[in-house]
Amino acid sequence: MFLRKIATVVALTTLASSAWAGCGISEGRVSIVGNEFPAIQTIGAGAMECAGGGVTVETNLTADHQKINLPGMTGNPAEFTSAIVANSSIVALMNNDVIRPLNDLVAKHGQGLQKSQLVTIDGNIMGIAFMANAQHLTYRSDILDQLGIAVPTTYEAMLEAAARIRSSGLMKNPIGGAYASGWNLAEEFVNMYIGHGGEFFEPGTAKIAVNNQHGYDTLNMMKQLSHFMNPDYLTHDSNATSAEWKAGNVALMNMWGSRIGALKGDEVDAAVVAATATAGPMTVGGGTTAASTLWWDGFTVAKNISDADAEATFMAMMHAIRPAMLNETTSPQAVWLIDGYEPTPAAAGVFAAAAMGTKPYPMLPYAGLMHSAAGAELVDFMQGKENAEQALIGLEAAYTTAATEKGYL
């Protein structure tokens, strides 16, 4: 089942459905921090509808959300009453004990939630998932058709297609990539390493194990792809990469399913919109494992706030993800894990990722430390200042230091 593959940590709890009738909040403070792409902006706007009559609602939606959510929830009272997170970022909040179990709030106000939405760990509901996500191939069908190029299913085929597009003179830098140094670069490493069949840690331990042939092959493929990207690719996050696509500068990219709807916005040239197509994740190195990861996004509630603010926050977020929020505008923004959601064409890539058995992002307490180390230590390799072995030695050393300080090693 698709939802089972997406939500691997979800509890099998059944809740009766009920009608939704507005926010119903009498008082409380709601302050939400999260990412800034369209689906999250829709959630934030939905929560804002609950403001008034003694209820204050604020949102801070920014690409830097992972830098500020933990500090903003650590104080007492916490600055943010809710953080919108994913299966990677919720771990840091749990490790630092800044979010509360939601069992009581779900029992009181969670009627209508589907069982696949309950992110449950050790019997405690720690988050409510509202959408699924994955990175997958996005391509310009007109460019490929013009040159007689088949839709790539492997990264090797993507390189061949890019070379033909460049040599044709149609595009100088036909591949787009969210390779910005830091989180984005590390995510591309994670995807590609999984596709090569690599395991990040020695079995049953927190000891990192990426300095191997899988790691070398991963970095070398990333470097080959970068030769067909904008020279400033190390500054390109998903927003900048999407802008390149909208401008008609890119024909092939690995992009989040949650971004596809925006690529077909009214402000985009009609020819680009008509030719924007998606497929499932690609494989690499002759393997059969998708070089991608499955994700869920959801909301949490802060621990260091009053029970009244916690209840107001939960109710506002439940209002934001109520089935009635689904319409012609919002449905294409994500693969919603909301009762009544009907898949749109923009969701095809994420469903293809699930059908391929794409692995979920590793939800381990120390995975974030590996991710951070990769984002910092692989930049010199991409710039040609280190070879693959040097870069991976640096990655492992940086991770080991951080994991030792945190007590994982």
Side-chain angles (χ1 to χ4, degrees), residues 38-403:
I40 304 300
Q41 291 167 341
T42 291
I43 299 301
M48 291 286 288
E49 294 174 358
C50 298
V55 180
T56 61
V57 183
E58 299 176 340
T59 63
N60 187 347
L61 305 183
T62 168
D64 293 326
H65 63 109
Q66 291 193 66
K67 297 179 182 179
I68 64 175
N69 59 11
L70 178 57
M73 299 180 90
T74 301
N76 195 359
E79 175 184 356
F80 303 120
T81 67
S82 177
I84 295 176
V85 296
N87 41 323
S88 65
S89 51
I90 193 174
V91 175
L93 303 185
M94 290 191 300
N95 286 349
N96 287 276
D97 195 28
V98 297
I99 56 176
R100 65 175 62 200
L102 304 176
N103 301 54
D104 292 345
L105 290 170
V106 168
K108 187 174 182 180
H109 300 293
Q111 291 77 22
L113 287 172
Q114 300 186 100
K115 60 187 179 183
S116 57
Q117 294 181 258
L118 307 180
V119 181
T120 305
I121 299 172
D122 295 333
N124 289 319
I125 302 170
M126 301 306 297
I128 305 297
F130 53 74
M131 62 174 281
N133 214 350
Q135 289 166 281
H136 54 77
L137 175 65
T138 305
Y139 64 95
R140 283 278 297 272
S141 60
D142 57 342
I143 300 295
L144 299 192
D145 290 345
Q146 182 176 341
L147 298 176
I149 300 173
V151 177
T153 58
T154 69
Y155 271 104
E156 289 78 8
M158 181 189 241
L159 286 172
E160 293 177 5
R164 289 183 58 184
I165 294 169
R166 175 177 282 177
S167 63
S168 74
L170 291 175
M171 290 180 178
K172 183 178 180 181
N173 301 304
I175 292 181
Y179 272 47
S181 57
W183 193 93
N184 291 272
L185 181 64
E187 175 62 9
E188 295 302 324
F189 172 79
V190 168
N191 290 339
M192 199 70 72
Y193 188 75
I194 287 175
H196 277 99
E199 297 288 343
F200 296 102
F201 305 99
E202 292 185 5
T205 76
K207 185 176 181 181
I208 195 168
V210 297
N211 185 17
N212 52 44
Q213 191 61 49
H214 295 310
Y216 307 149
D217 292 342
T218 292
L219 291 186
N220 288 329
M221 175 55 73
M222 292 173 65
K223 190 65 173 290
Q224 291 181 67
L225 291 167
S226 73
H227 293 320
F228 292 97
M229 295 178 183
N230 184 300
D232 294 328
Y233 66 91
L234 284 173
T235 67
H236 284 198
D237 60 7
S238 294
N239 290 331
T241 306
S242 295
E244 282 279 280
W245 185 274
K246 293 177 181 179
N249 298 331
V250 173
L252 299 160
M253 66 179 178
N254 187 45
M255 182 49 66
W256 294 98
S258 58
R259 301 277 180 163
I260 303 305
L263 299 181
K264 301 182 179 184
D266 294 337
E267 80 283 4
V268 185
D269 183 86
V272 174
V273 171
T276 296
T278 60
M282 292 168 285
T283 58
V284 66
T288 58
T289 301
S292 184
T293 42
L294 280 177
W295 293 71
W296 57 260
D297 288 78
F299 72 85
T300 60
V301 177
K303 181 177 182 179
N304 297 332
I305 57 176
S306 70
D307 289 343
D309 287 350
E311 185 169 27
T313 296
F314 187 86
M315 293 175 69
M317 295 304 291
M318 290 298 294
H319 175 81
I321 65 170
R322 69 199 188 284
M325 60 81 71
L326 298 171
N327 55 47
E328 292 182 359
T329 300
T330 60
S331 289
Q333 292 177 341
V335 176
W336 297 105
L337 302 178
I338 297 174
D339 188 26
Y341 168 71
E342 295 290 340
T344 69
V350 178
F351 276 91
M356 289 176 66
T358 301
K359 295 183 178 181
Y361 185 92
M363 204 172 147
L364 298 168
Y366 36 84
L369 301 178
M370 178 272 297
H371 201 113
S372 296
E377 297 297 326
L378 300 182
V379 174
D380 282 349
F381 168 80
M382 299 302 297
Q383 293 177 330
K385 299 177 182 179
E386 290 183 344
N387 62 32
E389 183 178 14
Q390 291 171 324
L392 293 174
I393 289 174
L395 192 169
E396 289 196 337
Y399 165 83
T400 299
T401 298

